[in-house]
Amino acid sequence: MDLQKSSDATPAPAATPVELRASDADRDRITDILRDALAEGRLTPEEHSERVEGVLATKTVGELDRFVRDLPAAHTGRATPAYASAPNRPTAGAIPVDADESVVAVFSAAVRKGRWRAGRRIHAYAVFGSVDIDLSEAIFEYQQVVIKTVSVFGNIEIRVPENVSLRGNGGGVLGNFEVHTMDSADPDAPVVYIDGLAVLGNVEARPKRGKLVADILDRVTGRLNDRVADRVDRGLRKHLDR
């Protein structure tokens, strides 16, 4: 009887797209529209500030739309997704077998950070030591970057800019292998793949909030500055024509 009841039970309806939980990428997409609207003069600074605060507190995708419903940019390209999902594995043949750079720590510590050039393949080994790879200010010469990690009684920490895509494929043996996967809102953004193994050790990769890939940031900032400059120029011309 219980089996019959179980088989007849109606499954819970799936959540509609507007009921899905909003991601950081969804919120970034809305704040970009609001920022452009401020530069175009469609919103006052007070309205912009109020809406951005609301976006940051919003939990579902459907609630986000109400902040940009009256803006033209929100109705352009509706069929385009908020982001392009990065593949789980790098494109075949795009990454060489040999490492461009190896970071090794054996009973010691090794650090790569600051303004350095990230190759297509980086190998990181921590044996009773620690490796810190910080890509938040790195120069990405290639769109796809693979970091192969091996941690044995060691610790490997990887930090990436928050506007890249991050993927992971690995595991732990009495250890921890953790990659905070994410998709960039820019389809041309770099994709960082973390492969490897943690044996009685730790491997962790996650975004560094507040850090952006410079060339992507420059494109966004440049578009915004052009709009602001054009608006100021129009204002000056109107003033001079009086």
Side-chain angles (χ1 to χ4, degrees):
M1 180 64 68
D2 291 340
L3 290 175
Q4 182 65 31
K5 287 182 178 179
S6 177
S7 63
D8 292 341
T10 302
T16 62
V18 296
E19 296 173 331
L20 295 176
R21 302 282 292 191
S23 67
D24 288 340
D26 294 325
R27 295 187 183 91
D28 289 344
R29 175 175 58 88
I30 299 300
T31 54
D32 285 346
I33 293 175
L34 294 175
R35 181 182 57 195
D36 290 346
L38 173 64
E40 294 168 355
R42 299 181 188 278
L43 294 176
T44 65
E46 292 76 14
E47 290 172 329
H48 174 264
S49 177
E50 181 180 350
R51 294 195 188 195
V52 169
E53 289 180 5
V55 168
L56 296 178
T58 297
K59 295 182 178 180
T60 66
V61 174
E63 292 175 320
L64 285 174
D65 288 340
R66 64 188 176 92
F67 293 102
V68 294
R69 193 173 298 154
D70 58 344
L71 300 175
H75 304 279
T76 303
R78 277 279 188 171
T80 303
Y83 55 82
S85 179
N88 289 324
R89 301 296 304 159
T91 304
I95 307 298
V97 177
D98 298 328
D100 295 317
E101 181 177 3
S102 294
V103 186
V104 182
V106 180
F107 288 97
S108 61
V111 179
R112 290 292 184 275
K113 66 178 181 179
R115 199 69 174 160
W116 60 292
R117 296 182 181 277
R120 286 174 291 183
R121 178 182 288 274
I122 302 169
H123 288 178
Y125 304 97
V127 181
F128 289 95
S130 66
V131 171
D132 183 3
I133 298 178
D134 189 343
L135 294 166
S136 62
E137 297 180 3
I139 299 172
F140 286 84
E141 296 182 318
Y142 305 96
Q143 188 179 24
Q144 299 186 77
V145 176
V146 169
I147 302 179
K148 180 181 179 180
T149 62
V150 176
S151 175
V152 180
F153 287 97
N155 180 60
I156 298 177
E157 293 189 4
I158 300 167
R159 302 292 178 264
V160 302
E162 63 177 347
N163 62 337
V164 307
S165 293
L166 183 61
R167 289 286 181 269
N169 182 33
V173 179
L174 297 178
N176 176 62
F177 183 93
E178 184 177 4
V179 176
H180 298 248
T181 60
M182 62 181 185
D183 283 303
S184 173
D186 190 330
D188 296 324
V191 185
V192 180
Y193 301 92
I194 311 298
D195 291 341
L197 180 67
V199 181
L200 292 168
N202 176 67
V203 174
E204 182 185 11
R206 60 182 174 84
K208 191 171 184 178
R209 297 301 178 188
K211 294 293 186 178
L212 303 174
V213 175
D215 58 343
I216 296 175
L217 177 62
D218 289 343
R219 291 203 301 270
V220 174
T221 306
R223 289 196 299 267
L224 178 60
N225 289 341
D226 289 343
R227 293 191 182 100
V228 173
D230 183 61
R231 182 184 173 195
V232 171
D233 186 51
R234 290 199 306 268
L236 288 174
R237 285 200 300 268
K238 288 180 180 178
H239 179 73
L240 293 174
D241 289 341
R242 290 178 180 175

